[in-house]
Amino acid sequence: MKRNILFWTYFIIAVVLAVYFASRFVTSYLGYGPVSKVHAIVVTPSDIIDTENIQKQLYIKNNSIRYAFNNLEFFNKNIRDNYPNVKNTAIRIMPNGDININLEMYTPVAIWTKDNVNYYPITADGKKINTPTTTPETNSLVFKGILPNDLSK
């Protein structure tokens, strides 16, 4: 069967493009090249936790390799464990190299103190948040003494 020059031209272009995109995919997955770099980390809400501490929890520095983000649940759990006032996290890696981190915070409804020095926020479901403050919030319900069993679970 005779092929014309147009067929072979398109065939060569298709092979070259396939090799190019395959090599770009492999190099970016392995962490080489500008596509695999983290360009920015955006934390929402940004006023609660600063970006530098989040970078430490994600084990990265700006412009570091992002191929280690295969298991995002590990990083979500790491942030929740190290920040007691964070209820849920969602990490998204954007195609432009940005990492978007959305945080859902606990809403404290009362505070608890044992020594009248440290005040711990308590959420609506009874969880004690382990981020004590030395000054109680005004107009807040204060529990003093030993935390009841139904709240300490």
Side-chain angles (χ1 to χ4, degrees):
M1 213 174 188
K2 187 177 178 183
R3 305 276 184 196
N4 60 9
I5 190 74
L6 194 60
F7 169 81
W8 291 110
T9 304
Y10 286 143
F11 179 77
I12 291 172
I13 290 172
V15 169
V16 168
L17 286 175
V19 169
Y20 171 75
F21 285 118
S23 62
R24 286 288 289 208
F25 176 76
V26 169
T27 56
S28 65
Y29 182 77
L30 292 177
Y32 300 106
V35 177
S36 64
K37 302 294 181 181
V38 174
H39 295 117
I41 297 175
V42 180
V43 180
T44 307
S46 61
D47 58 337
I48 307 289
I49 298 172
D50 59 295
T51 308
E52 291 181 11
N53 288 335
I54 289 291
Q55 288 176 2
K56 291 177 185 175
Q57 299 305 318
L58 298 178
Y59 303 109
I60 62 171
K61 297 177 184 172
N62 261 349
N63 294 331
S64 70
I65 299 171
R66 73 173 190 186
Y67 71 91
F69 284 93
N70 293 333
N71 187 5
L72 291 179
E73 186 55 37
F74 169 76
F75 294 107
N76 283 327
K77 185 177 181 320
N78 195 17
I79 291 173
R80 284 192 307 266
D81 290 346
N82 289 302
Y83 294 99
N85 54 344
V86 173
K87 185 176 184 179
N88 287 321
T89 60
I91 300 176
R92 290 182 181 88
I93 301 173
M94 307 307 284
N96 63 353
D98 292 351
I99 297 177
N100 291 342
I101 303 172
N102 295 323
L103 303 175
E104 182 184 349
M105 311 303 284
Y106 281 109
T107 304
V109 295
I111 56 175
W112 167 74
T113 182
K114 186 176 182 180
D115 53 7
N116 290 332
V117 175
N118 295 320
Y119 294 91
Y120 296 88
I122 299 176
T123 63
D125 60 352
K127 182 179 192 291
K128 180 182 75 168
I129 302 172
N130 289 321
T131 53
T133 60
T134 55
T135 56
E137 296 181 18
T138 58
N139 298 329
S140 61
L141 180 62
V142 178
F143 291 103
K144 291 185 179 180
I146 298 172
L147 195 63
N149 288 336
D150 56 344
L151 294 178
S152 61
K153 292 179 182 176

